[in-house]
Amino acid sequence: MSQQTARRGGAAWALVITSVAGFMAALDNLVVTTALPSIREDLGGGLHDLEWTVSAYTLTFAVLLMFGAALGDRFGRRRLFIVGLTVFTGASAAAAMAPGIDSLIAARAVQGAGAAVMMPLTLTLLTAAVPVAKRGMAYGIWGAVNGLAVASGPLVGGTLTEHISWQWIFWLNVPLGLALLPLARLRLAESHGTGAPLDVPGTLLASGGLFGIVYGLVRGPADGWTSALVLTGLFAGGALLVGFILYSTRAKNPMLPMRLFRSRAFSGINAASLLMFLGMFGSIFLLSQYMQGVLGYSPTEAGLRMLPWTGMPMLVAPIAGILADRIGGRPVVAAGLFLQALGLGYMAVVATADASYVSQLPALIVSGVGMALFFAPASHLVMSSVRPSEQGIASGANNALREVGGALGIAVMGSIFAAQGGYETGQTFVDGMRPALVTGSAVVALAGIAALLIPTRRRTERQAQSAEAAPVLETAAH
């Protein structure tokens, strides 16, 4: 009895610690967007500087995710989780106290580095602490909290900026981080990956490639897609990623084994995740501006009216996790993606310069249910598609693809918006937003198709068991 109680206590603490840490890291993706006017008023800087207060975090976060996961596998996941959390918390305080725009951008870059080490390890630590039969529900709660953070970033940022000050969007992380640090030390169990040495060439190729790609995507809308730096970033980044793939197929201990992508489950859920974040991030980026700039809501009012979308994961995602335990993750994820696509398409139809909130409500609810059905089972599918010793790098790879998808979504949908409309009037904004939302809906529908390519649960389990047995058979053969 005492062992079961201890195990339940350990699982519960792991769920709380990893969910709150994931919330902090995910929240800071978009929390700054609604605070930019106030930041510019206090710290000065041009449009280029303000864009970098958002991009600096996204860039370091996406680039270092797989490296952070590899460090955790090699030196201890709890140990590196604490290191990442410490860096993130300290950088949050530095951002809040930044005396100028340049120091704020630098603090945001360090924040992203801390989050990149911390975020992928939340899933591996949670997986190690929760019994197999309960992981679906645990992933459901974890996914609900992370989904809420991504979608509510503009609301939290707007509310704190409007009623206190913009500095509090960063100060918020400090007490949370200080509370989590001793809890992580006392309540999380240490675990390691394969123990293989760090893959330095693979790390440099992957980090350089992701930096080039994400830099090009982030700067494309502002600098122009034909500018020298953007083209250099995209082409050089693409070349380095090709080099990373070729190298990883031949390396003895690669950071990301390419054989993982032979699994339809791993490839399918990663493709679905990238496309989902592409459509969702771009849509949230535009819809938060639509509600404020066109419909005239304050940041707080806009955030509250988006709650049927942003708050739905808190209600539905735990149920989605239980469903995934019973019927498998594939049908739940696919249903969520198609509902998200339907919601975005519906919003594109009803959006006008003077649309009533009642007309938008069905689209927000459908999108919220769809997002909630995606998050929990998607995490479960990622973690169950690989061997336990490779779950850290699988989580890092999935999170990196999500971040690249988010950056791509803002860049692509921002470009469509700029080509078809603009900020001159409410109608020109709607003229640009509608085709962008249609594009987002189509991309998320493609994500649903990718999810349908994932094998059934029984087949996935057999593949995972075969992958687990492969090293043993190989050793016996030698």
Side-chain angles (χ1 to χ4, degrees), residues 38-347:
S38 298
I39 291 173
R40 183 178 184 180
E41 184 178 343
D42 280 2
L43 302 183
L47 179 62
H48 177 81
D49 298 310
L50 294 178
E51 288 171 342
W52 271 111
T53 63
V54 179
S55 302
Y57 182 86
T58 303
L59 197 58
T60 53
F61 192 16
V63 165
L64 297 175
L65 270 165
M66 284 196 291
F67 182 52
L71 287 174
D73 285 349
R74 180 68 178 86
F75 297 109
R77 291 160 178 166
R78 182 187 66 181
R79 178 183 300 170
L80 265 294
F81 173 81
I82 291 173
V83 170
L85 179 58
T86 302
V87 171
F88 181 86
T89 304
S92 297
M97 296 185 293
I101 193 71
D102 291 336
S103 57
L104 175 60
I105 292 170
R108 287 282 287 166
V110 177
Q111 245 193 331
V117 175
M118 175 177 70
M119 186 66 171
L121 298 177
T122 59
L123 267 182
T124 48
L125 290 166
L126 181 61
T127 301
V130 177
V132 175
K134 301 293 185 182
R135 284 177 187 167
M137 184 171 65
Y139 290 147
I141 297 171
W142 182 92
V145 174
N146 278 267
L148 178 65
V150 170
S152 64
L155 166 62
V156 174
T159 301
L160 291 174
T161 300
E162 184 178 346
H163 296 291
I164 308 178
S165 70
W166 66 262
Q167 285 88 350
W168 275 93
I169 64 179
F170 302 115
W171 281 127
L172 177 67
N173 293 323
V174 176
L176 291 175
L178 292 176
L180 287 184
L181 283 169
L183 290 176
R185 178 67 182 84
L186 297 172
R187 297 292 182 176
L188 294 177
E190 185 59 281
S191 64
H192 294 77
T194 60
L198 281 178
D199 177 15
V200 176
T203 298
L204 294 175
L205 286 170
S207 299
L210 286 174
F211 179 88
I213 294 291
V214 176
Y215 178 89
L217 295 176
V218 166
R219 299 307 311 160
D223 296 347
W225 293 103
T226 57
S227 70
L229 282 176
V230 169
L231 289 176
T232 301
L234 292 175
F235 284 111
L240 288 172
L241 287 182
V242 170
F244 170 70
I245 293 170
L246 294 175
Y247 164 82
S248 298
T249 59
R250 301 172 183 174
K252 184 178 180 181
N253 294 302
M255 181 175 68
L256 178 60
M258 288 297 110
R259 59 177 170 75
L260 296 181
F261 290 95
R262 297 174 191 164
S263 164
R264 276 175 50 198
F266 187 77
S267 297
I269 192 56
N270 277 290
S273 297
L274 185 147
L275 294 170
M276 162 65 173
F277 271 67
L278 194 160
M280 185 187 70
F281 257 61
S283 299
I284 291 175
F285 181 73
L286 290 173
L287 285 171
S288 62
Q289 297 181 71
Y290 166 70
M291 287 200 166
Q292 294 177 61
V294 177
L295 300 183
Y297 299 126
S298 71
T300 304
E301 291 170 340
L304 289 173
R305 282 164 174 77
M306 290 182 73
L307 274 179
W309 183 11
T310 60
M312 196 62 69
M314 293 298 292
L315 301 176
V316 179
I319 301 172
I322 295 172
L323 282 175
D325 281 339
R326 293 183 178 178
I327 65 175
R330 181 181 74 163
V332 181
V333 165
L337 291 168
F338 287 126
L339 284 173
Q340 179 77 85
L342 178 63
L344 292 177
Y346 189 95
M347 179 63 77

Side-chain angles (χ1 to χ4, degrees), residues 396-442:
N398 183 256
N399 278 285
L401 287 171
R402 289 183 178 192
E403 289 301 311
V404 171
L408 182 61
I410 292 176
V412 170
M413 295 175 69
S415 296
I416 294 172
F417 168 82
Q420 301 294 322
Y423 290 93
E424 293 80 12
T425 66
Q427 187 58 51
T428 57
F429 190 97
V430 171
D431 290 341
M433 184 180 72
R434 275 181 167 171
L437 290 181
V438 170
T439 302
S441 175

